[in-house]
C-alpha cells in the first residue's frame, strides 16, 4: 500500500508535465490506469486524471509506482492534493452541499438573571529556585562558553 505523504507539489507538477508530453490516453495506458473523470486535477485551465497523476507523482517521490490498487477511496488523495495547492473536482461535494447547523430562533423575552456561586481560590505556592543560575563564562578570544574548569578548550 502506498503512502503519499512524501509526494510534494513539485512531484505532482512533474507528473502533470509528463501527462502533457505523452497525452492523456497514452499516459493512462502506459501506467495502467483506467480513466476516472470523477476526480480531476484542475491546473492552468486543463483537467488531469487525479489518480494517475498522483500515482506517477508517487513514483517521482519514492521510486515506486502507486497503482490503482493503492487507492482505497479518493478522500485521502484529494485532501493531499489540495494541501499541496491543487484544485481537485469532487463529484460528491457538489451533490451534497454542507448543511449549516440549524439554530433555534432567539426569543425576545427577557432572561432571568443568572445566579452564580462565588468561587473560592486557594493561594498558589510560590516557587523558589533550587539554585541561582550564574551567567555563562565566555572565552574572550573565541567567544565560546568556558567549561567548568574556566580554561578554554580551543585557545589554551
Amino acid at each position: 500500500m502506498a503512502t503519499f505523504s512524501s509526494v510534494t507539489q513539485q512531484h505532482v507538477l512533474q507528473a502533470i508535465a509528463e501527462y502533457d508530453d505523452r497525452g492523456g490516453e497514452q499516459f493512462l495506458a502506459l501506467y495502467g490506469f483506467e480513466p476516472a473523470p470523477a476526480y480531476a486535477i484542475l491546473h492552468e485551465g486543463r483537467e488531469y486524471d487525479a489518480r494517475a497523476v498522483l500515482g506517477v507523482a508517487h513514483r517521482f517521490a519514492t521510486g515506486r509506482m502507486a497503482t490503482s490498487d493503492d487507492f482505497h477511496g479518493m478522500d485521502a488523495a484529494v485532501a493531499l492534493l489540495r494541501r499541496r495547492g491543487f484544485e481537485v473536482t469532487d463529484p460528491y461535494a457538489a451533490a451534497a452541499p454542507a448543511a449549516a447547523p440549524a439554530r433555534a430562533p432567539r426569543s425576545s423575552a427577557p432572561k432571568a438573571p443568572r445566579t452564580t456561586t462565588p468561587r473560592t481560590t486557594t493561594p498558589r505556592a510560590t516557587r523558589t529556585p533550587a539554585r541561582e543560575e550564574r551567567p555563562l563564562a565566555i572565552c574572550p578570544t573565541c567567544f565560546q562558553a568556558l567549561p567548568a574548569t574556566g580554561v578554554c578548550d580551543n585557545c589554551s
Side-chain angles (χ1 to χ4, degrees), residues 18-150:
E18 185 176 340
Y19 192 105
D20 285 338
D21 289 344
R22 294 185 185 280
E25 289 180 16
Q26 187 178 5
F27 183 86
L28 294 173
L30 177 67
Y31 293 112
F33 284 94
E34 291 294 320
Y39 294 96
I41 297 173
L42 305 175
H43 181 69
E44 295 182 353
R46 295 192 61 195
E47 289 188 5
Y48 302 90
D49 188 289
R51 273 188 321 150
V53 169
L54 188 56
V56 174
H58 185 267
R59 184 186 66 141
F60 288 128
T62 65
R64 188 183 83 72
M65 179 72 184
T67 65
S68 294
D69 296 335
D70 292 322
F71 292 90
H72 299 287
M74 283 296 291
D75 293 339
V78 168
L80 179 120
L81 287 166
R82 287 182 177 155
R83 281 193 307 271
R84 301 299 188 260
F86 294 97
E87 183 180 347
V88 183
T89 61
D90 184 350
Y92 301 108
R103 291 187 178 189
R106 291 189 176 200
S107 170
S108 61
K111 292 183 179 181
R114 289 186 182 180
T115 57
T116 58
T117 308
R119 284 188 167 177
T120 58
T121 59
T122 55
R124 290 188 177 181
T126 57
R127 283 184 51 187
T128 56
R131 61 180 172 86
E132 194 171 313
E133 292 188 29
R134 297 180 297 171
L136 288 176
I138 304 293
C139 174
T141 306
C142 67
F143 303 106
Q144 291 191 11
L146 293 175
T149 60

